[in-house]
Amino acid sequence: MRRMASVRKYIDIGANLTDDMYQGMYHNSKKHGADLDKVLERSWSMGMCKMIITGGNLTDSRKAIELSHSDSRLFATVGCHPTRCNEFVESPEEYLNSLRDLIKTNREKVAAIGECGLDYERLHFCEKDVQLKYFEYQIKLSREFNLPLFLHCRAAADDLVDILKRNREDIHGGVVHSFDGPVDALEKILGLGMYIGINGCSLRTKENLEVVTKIPWERLLIETDCPWCEVKPTHPGWEHVVTKHPTVKKEKYSIDSGNQVKGRNEPSNIVQVLEILSAVRKENIEDLAETIYNNTNKLFFSDI
């Protein structure tokens, strides 16, 4: 007998739950009341078992850790995003020690080091040399705490791979999340034993859909990167989406309506990523869901 979809188990490896959108704020304008509790409720009810809240810098990592303590199913990453690595410059060792202390005092809640990596599409936020220096600077935390890396890579695969190779002995595994690169970048990353995280932004083009068919089962993870990276009706994979939720504009949103805010992604939408992957890879959705769930536990939760 085929298993019912209701028994599927999900883990969102990248959820930006500390974002102001879940407090009803959009571009510093209040549109509705805080509804993170409802967002989480929708996620748990559809089979979400755990979520990893992304830490984008020291401040956000602290917020992510604080939120993770509110529920046993919530965890966090601790690190500094490449576009925010200027925060290291004034006092690098002090900044790294602050990240280190946050991990030490909350070890049971920290799932990975990150979000760290390289972003050459947004050098106006942080220049290349600074990104390179402080990405490599953070890697030592992986070995120190036996934690995987939660990696960001935009138009920088060659440099990312070079740094990972050079520091291979210091790395306790990892995932390149929100992957949207070409096949050659995928192969280089897989060659290092890394996992690949897929969300809506990973599925925006026909080329993307072809690339995700090349990811081995044992290296595939899924995420939402919410409140961003939703699967949109304009995306080529939309035709494969079965689970669609009613949405309304943020100005008309009612917290208790059961609707989602149009244009704001939620963890519960992770099912759409799975549905697209199952279709384009021509794989049984239940088997694929179970494999991804096991992959995620193996990378992030074997030591927690």
Side-chain angles (χ1 to χ4, degrees), residues 188-205:
K188 290 174 183 176
I189 292 165
L190 289 172
L192 294 172
M194 293 288 154
Y195 289 79
I196 304 294
I198 299 298
N199 58 36
C201 287
S202 310
L203 305 166
R204 288 179 292 189
T205 68

Side-chain angles (χ1 to χ4, degrees), residues 81-82 115-119 122 150-154 160 176-177:
H81 191 280
E115 180 175 356
C116 58
L118 301 172
D119 191 324
R122 291 180 283 182
F150 187 73
L151 296 163
H152 177 101
C153 183
R154 285 286 179 267
L160 184 92
V176 175
H177 101 104

